[in-house]
Amino acid sequence: MKVEPRQLKSFLLDTNIINESQFKEIKKRAEKTGQKISDILVAEKFINESNFIKLEAYVLGIPFVDLEEESVPSDILKIIPEPIARTHNIIAFRKTGKDLEVAMLDPEDLQTIDFIKKKAGLKILPRLTTPKSIKNVLQQYQKTLRAEFGDIITTQAKIVGRKEEKIGVIKSIKEKKELGEKENLKKTAEELPVIRIVDTLLKHAILQRSSDIHIEPTEKEVIVRYRIDGILHDAMTLPKQAASGIVARIKVLSNLKLDEHRLPQDGRFKIESEDYKYSIRVSILPIFGGEKIVMRLLSETSKSFSLEELGLRGNTLEDIQLNIRRPVGMTLVTGPTGSGKTTTLYAILEILNTPEVNISTIEDPIEYQIPRINQTQVKAKIGLTFANGLRSLVRQDPDIIMVGEIRDNETASLAINAALTGHLVLSTLHTTNAAGAIPRLLDMKAEPFLISSTLNIIIAQRLIRQFCTDKKPYKLKASEIKNLEEYCDLKKILEILKKEKIAKNSQSFKDIEFYKSKASKECPDGYKGRIGIYEVLSITESIKELIMKGATSDQIQEQAQREGMRTMIEDGFVKAAQGLTSIEEVLRVIKE
């Protein structure tokens, strides 16, 4: 809330909450530290938070509501979707005719009010409330969601019960066989309750910016988890009897075998509405408790990222831009699953995608469709593997080839030969760092002289969560600095920070200001979205000599660092000192 200091001062003095000198001192502290006057007043116990908000409501002439002990009807609560309610701290709590009363922490958030007005088709009446009131009502969303699932599952149980009763009255074995497991599962998958369960799970996952949905059967229940910004969160627990219907529904959507329960299956389907369009990649794996499902959510309306937006800066960015402009050779991106390798390759393809070049890809899966690029999906069941696809691509007169992943000796050999015979080849490998890509290629029987002749650059990366709107500055304690020395060379990092003009006057690490995450109305855990940390290994003449000698990855890494390569942890510390993320987040990802 934005209450003018003069209004606030007048009210505080009139009500004898503070005197003139106290107000001047608090205002001076607020200007110096960047804190709000209200935060200092509450911290110093001049007034409690609830009374201060009531004061704001009075000064601004906005009605105040206390919902700390209130229970909001579920039909009213659901007018504003839970993710929007959590992100913007806004709750629908009363509806009268065409009027909808909403409780907010910031009634001047006109953009959110206008959005809900258009979405609900109602007149919005803002009311000021407390954070505790918002928290109380937000907890009711889970109860409402459970109730919604409860109604669906109860309906589903009745249908299953009627089916069992029907089967029970069938006398002949022949008639029982005619029902058939496949037909039963298909009917279950097409029943309204099961459709509603799956639709609701997908809808909530999209609203919460999830990248993956995990549906995990256990002995007594089904656990649903969402991966948000790389971290798994429990979303819902469903009764065990819902499992077979959910699995059947997702198999029908993905065009998979309904009656196959012993072997893994992979599929894909699409969902869309006025607000979004997603391609869902499905993996089903038999486990002890049933069949586990993991669904990867790929937005088809996401904008493409530039290399700068992905987190590449300075010399690292310049090295990549220089090497991808070479007409021939190979660029590799390395890292574990989920580290953003394909996104980086797509960002590079966007730069290279001009009318003068022919670009062809072989991928598994095609995550995003890019205009003017010829993208081929791997289909191992019919023999279209990376190797076979790549063999065909080189006959399509390509200038640039992207291979989704080099997994085996044959693909490695074909990719290297393509780079050797006049093509620019982009691909990925699963290695922990940039230097590790070279021994990996050697393990795939690639000849050292071919590797040194074709490799241009290797990019290793991880994804770290970045701060939302708020963060808390702090300086490291001596004990924390000592612990950090186990993971990295702090003297070198200090030199890098000085070179980046982040810590130009700092004599030691204890002088540098870092940040911790701070919960806010938009981000309950203090983070929103992710950014990359990178190390980029350019294949220089000295690195080529090491490759020819069969050097280890450690020896290659050391030489690259002597030549100025910045490691991922060093890049992470730069981003932490810039206030983009925390040291804890950098270490969490590096340790993984």
Side-chain angles (χ1 to χ4, degrees):
M1 280 297 298
K2 297 177 182 177
V3 178
E4 293 293 331
R6 54 187 178 77
Q7 292 176 300
L8 185 58
K9 176 183 176 182
S10 176
F11 189 89
L12 291 170
L13 296 179
D14 289 347
T15 52
N16 296 317
I17 292 172
I18 57 173
N19 59 40
E20 181 87 31
S21 62
Q22 287 173 323
F23 184 84
K24 286 181 180 178
E25 185 181 341
I26 289 170
K27 186 180 178 184
K28 188 176 180 181
R29 278 175 58 191
E31 290 170 350
K32 186 177 179 181
T33 62
Q35 290 178 281
K36 295 177 182 177
I37 293 175
S38 59
D39 291 341
I40 297 173
L41 287 168
V42 172
E44 298 292 332
K45 298 184 178 178
F46 285 105
I47 188 171
N48 65 41
E49 186 179 43
S50 179
N51 285 336
F52 187 84
I53 292 171
K54 289 177 184 177
L55 181 156
E56 285 184 310
Y58 176 81
V59 170
L60 293 169
I62 295 172
F64 173 85
V65 291
D66 184 352
L67 302 174
E68 288 184 32
E69 305 294 332
E70 293 294 320
S71 178
V72 179
S74 61
D75 58 327
I76 303 296
L77 195 64
K78 287 191 290 185
I79 292 173
I80 299 177
E82 182 183 3
I84 294 171
R86 286 187 182 277
T87 300
H88 298 282
N89 282 321
I90 180 168
I91 298 292
F93 68 94
R94 187 180 297 132
K95 181 175 175 289
T96 308
K98 289 289 184 180
D99 293 343
L100 180 67
E101 293 184 65
V102 296
M104 307 177 69
L105 297 184
D106 182 7
E108 293 183 344
D109 185 356
L110 301 180
Q111 188 175 358
T112 301
I113 292 170
D114 188 54
F115 172 79
I116 293 167
K117 179 182 177 182
K118 290 176 181 176
K119 195 84 174 171
L122 300 169
K123 181 181 178 182
I124 307 302
L125 306 176
R127 308 289 185 246
L128 190 59
T129 193
T130 63
K132 286 184 179 178
S133 291
I134 295 286
K135 185 177 180 181
N136 169 56
V137 182
L138 285 176
Q139 289 172 346
Q140 295 175 36
Y141 271 98
Q142 285 300 313
K143 295 176 185 176
T144 302
L145 187 55
R146 288 191 187 97
E148 184 178 338
F149 275 110
D151 292 341
I152 295 169
I153 290 158
T154 300
T155 306
Q156 175 65 12
K158 288 178 181 177
I159 292 170
V160 171
R162 288 197 296 271
K163 279 187 174 180
E164 290 173 350
E165 186 180 340
K166 180 180 178 183
I167 292 169
V169 298
I170 296 173
K171 302 298 181 184
S172 73
I173 296 174
K174 184 180 177 183
E175 284 177 310
K176 286 185 180 181
K177 285 183 177 178
E178 283 174 355
L179 281 175
E181 181 193 11
K182 186 174 180 180
E183 195 60 33
N184 267 341
L185 288 170
K186 189 174 181 181
K187 286 181 180 178
T188 301
E190 292 171 353
E191 284 162 357
L192 185 60
V194 171
I195 292 172
R196 285 176 61 199
I197 289 175
V198 174
D199 286 353
T200 303
L201 289 174
L202 289 167
K203 179 183 73 175
H204 280 267
I206 289 167
L207 289 171
Q208 294 183 46
R209 301 181 299 105
S210 305
S211 61
D212 302 84
I213 304 172
H214 289 237
I215 302 173
E216 302 165 334
T218 64
E219 187 179 353
K220 296 181 179 178
E221 59 193 11
V222 178
I223 297 170
V224 180
R225 296 193 289 170
Y226 294 156
R227 188 178 292 279
I228 303 169
D229 291 336
I231 306 294
L232 276 172
H233 302 269
D234 283 352
M236 182 55 52
T237 301
L238 301 171
K240 183 71 173 179
Q241 65 260 36
S244 61
I246 292 171
V247 172
R249 176 62 183 165
I250 291 170
K251 284 182 177 179
V252 167
L253 290 171
S254 310
N255 198 27
L256 300 176
K257 293 180 180 178
L258 281 169
D259 53 350
E260 178 57 77
H261 307 293
R262 298 173 300 169
L263 296 174
Q265 296 191 73
D266 295 318
R268 197 169 187 143
F269 66 93
K270 293 186 179 185
I271 58 170
E272 59 181 292
S273 72
E274 293 179 1
D275 303 315
Y276 54 75
K277 185 178 181 182
Y278 276 80
S279 177
I280 314 294
R281 195 174 84 204
V282 177
S283 172
I284 300 179
L285 179 71
I287 62 171
F288 180 74
E291 292 177 272
K292 178 186 174 181
I293 299 174
V294 176
M295 293 187 282
R296 169 66 58 88
L297 280 62
L298 303 167
S299 173
E300 295 192 351
T301 55
S302 295
K303 71 178 186 71
S304 58
F305 292 98
S306 67
L307 294 175
E308 292 87 348
E309 288 172 319
L310 294 178
L312 287 155
R313 305 278 191 277
N315 293 337
T316 300
L317 176 62
E318 289 174 12
D319 285 345
I320 293 173
Q321 289 173 329
L322 175 66
N323 280 282
I324 65 174
R325 293 295 184 186
R326 292 185 176 183
V328 297
M330 187 183 297
T331 294
L332 294 178
V333 183
T334 77
T337 301
S339 59
K341 301 186 295 296
T342 304
T343 302
T344 300
L345 284 183
Y346 282 161
I348 292 172
L349 287 177
E350 287 281 1
I351 296 170
L352 301 174
N353 189 13
T354 62
E356 294 81 26
V357 295
N358 174 25
I359 303 177
S360 295
T361 77
I362 178 78
E363 306 174 57
D364 185 23
I366 297 171
E367 296 196 5
Y368 303 105
Q369 294 180 9
I370 307 175
R372 300 182 67 92
I373 292 181
N374 310 293
Q375 297 171 267
T376 302
Q377 168 69 51
V378 165
K379 294 176 183 175
K381 289 180 182 178
I382 60 171
L384 181 53
T385 61
F386 277 116
N388 290 338
L390 181 52
R391 194 177 283 109
S392 298
L393 286 188
V394 295
R395 295 195 288 267
Q396 287 280 312
D397 186 32
D399 299 293
I400 299 166
I401 298 170
M402 194 269 266
V403 183
E405 184 184 344
I406 295 176
R407 297 178 179 174
D408 52 49
N409 300 2
E410 189 178 9
T411 308
S413 175
L414 288 167
I416 289 170
N417 283 328
L420 200 63
T421 55
H423 304 92
L424 181 63
V425 178
L426 313 174
S427 192
T428 71
L429 276 176
H430 284 273
T431 62
T432 55
N433 60 10
I438 294 163
R440 181 80 181 97
L441 289 172
L442 291 170
D443 288 343
M444 293 180 184
K445 310 301 180 186
E447 294 291 343
F449 77 92
L450 290 177
I451 296 172
S452 63
S453 300
T454 55
L455 264 182
N456 291 338
I457 195 166
I458 305 169
I459 306 163
Q461 66 180 75
R462 298 289 187 280
L463 292 177
I464 54 173
R465 293 181 296 168
Q466 55 184 345
F467 291 135
C468 194
T469 51
D470 296 330
K471 56 195 173 190
K472 294 181 285 189
Y474 77 105
K475 291 186 178 179
L476 291 166
K477 298 175 183 176
S479 59
E480 292 173 319
I481 292 172
K482 188 175 180 180
N483 289 335
L484 286 174
E485 287 172 344
E486 297 178 18
Y487 300 102
C488 49
D489 184 346
L490 294 185
K491 288 182 180 178
K492 185 179 178 184
I493 291 174
L494 182 60
E495 290 174 10
I496 291 170
L497 294 177
K498 286 182 176 181
K499 188 177 179 181
E500 293 280 346
K501 298 181 180 179
I502 298 170
K504 55 185 177 181
N505 298 320
S506 300
Q507 300 303 311
S508 70
F509 241 69
K510 66 180 181 180
D511 300 324
I512 303 171
E513 192 167 69
F514 289 100
Y515 302 85
K516 289 185 180 290
S517 62
K518 184 179 179 182
S520 66
K521 67 177 185 177
E522 291 186 13
C523 313
D525 60 357
Y527 295 98
K528 185 177 182 181
R530 291 188 289 176
I531 194 170
I533 54 174
Y534 302 87
E535 62 183 35
V536 175
L537 172 57
S538 293
I539 309 301
T540 61
E541 290 303 318
S542 58
I543 298 294
K544 287 180 180 181
E545 288 178 16
L546 288 175
I547 295 171
M548 293 296 292
K549 292 176 182 177
T552 64
S553 62
D554 287 342
Q555 290 170 327
I556 294 169
Q557 182 86 357
E558 287 170 9
Q559 178 62 30
Q561 286 182 246
R562 281 195 291 270
E563 294 179 4
M565 183 186 80
R566 184 178 295 175
T567 65
M568 279 184 284
I569 195 165
E570 290 165 357
D571 191 34
F573 267 86
V574 170
K575 289 179 169 72
Q578 288 173 329
L580 298 175
T581 190
S582 64
I583 291 176
E584 292 79 6
E585 179 65 9
V586 173
L587 294 179
R588 178 187 72 81
V589 171
I590 292 295
K591 286 177 185 177
E592 289 179 354

